[in-house]
Amino acid sequence: MIKIKASEITPEHLYRSRRRFMVGVGALAASVALSACGAEDATPSPTTNAAASGEGTSAVTPASIGATATQEPVPPTASIQSDELGDALTDYESVIGYNNYYEFTTKKEGAAKLSQNFQSSPWTVEVGGLVNKPGVYDIDDLRKKFTRQERIYRLRCVEAWSMIIPWTGFPLAELLKEVEPTSKAKYLRFETLYDPDSMPGLKNNSYQWPYIEGLRVDEAMNNLTLLATGLYGKDLLPQNGAPVRLVVPWKYGFKSIKSIVKIDLVEEMPVSLWMAAAPHEYGFYANVNPQVDHPRWSQGSERRIGELGRRKTLMFNGYAEEVASLYDGMDLTEYF
Ligand code: MTE
């Protein structure tokens, strides 16, 4: 069991503006009870090759986590935070110590160490394609230009584990309004940095690099869709996708692409890295859906990191009210 440090909990005043924020009763007990991350080591990772599963069996060891997050220091507080369902935040050590970042490694507890020297500054994000005002944005300018908000979201990995993470970021819609998509633009295509010198996992030729993801324009415009630059009130660490990543809380975690260098507005549906790797297993939409199982495992329940036992998985990860209408009339077993 790992004790959470008071300094790692974001102070209450930072969270007041958050949508439907609640403090959960009994959240303290839940937030300090971190179990070994490999409790479900039978669960396969998002890969066609079960042998490449990143689900390890050892506990998170914060001492092995190399890089230290700076900026936006968080003053000590005793307040405990939770999402709008009253679920406690996943502790900081787990959020930064148990990651999927295949450009570094398929081992969840190895990404932090292997990415510790990753250079996320200077950094630019190129936004182009079917837009009236294409641009190359410096990450520091993006941070200044758009007011960052705190959002507590559930992250549900397709591998059936989940976390609750307090992100800092701004709605992707704000950037889109700035570049003005043309009427031909139907989708967004996101691209992660491809740098074999600093990303050892790129040698893994089971995947077609760079990591690509996509959204429909209306999904990207939804208020829940965030470009995150921080979590727990600190800048993102490399293993979480520094300096800027997508967060789409009603979709499986693999849609939330890390370390973005390029966003293109396009007419055709982009083919993501996972669609290319295993099209029968990973669709474009990837909405969290307990009724549509992965061909190799159930999506009906999940393991919340830090908890024993399993929870029921919620339709759209609990965000149906905000997003279900995006899919009116669509057969979600076909468009999985
Ligand atoms: N983005 C890139 N570029 N590479 C990855 O391997 N993994 C995805 C997603 N974004 C991934 C990525 C998966 S499968 C998940 S579950 C989340 O990142 C995990 O985010 P976290 O490590 O911050 O929890």
Side-chain angles (χ1 to χ4, degrees), residues 99-103 155 157 192 211 240 245 253-254 256 258:
N99 304 100
N100 271 336
Y101 202 162
Y102 278 33
E103 286 88 333
L155 174 84
C157 181
T192 294
Y211 197 101
N240 294 108
R245 71 174 292 171
F254 67 83
S256 293
K258 296 177 171 180

Side-chain angles (χ1 to χ4, degrees), residues 7 23 38 79 150 184 220 252 315:
S7 62
V23 177
S79 70
E150 300 279 346
K184 274 192 149 183
Y252 291 121
M315 188 64 204

Side-chain angles (χ1 to χ4, degrees), residues 46 95 98-103 105 155-159 161 163 165 167 192 209 211 231 239-241 245 252-259 274:
V95 176
Y98 188 81
N99 304 100
N100 271 336
Y101 202 162
Y102 278 33
E103 286 88 333
T105 174
L155 174 84
R156 169 48 160 92
C157 181
V158 75
E159 298 163 325
W161 54 265
M163 296 192 187
I165 303 177
W167 301 101
T192 294
W209 307 107
Y211 197 101
L231 59 83
Q239 62 268 33
N240 294 108
R245 71 174 292 171
Y252 291 121
F254 67 83
K255 298 293 289 182
S256 293
I257 181 173
K258 296 177 171 180
S259 308
W274 288 110

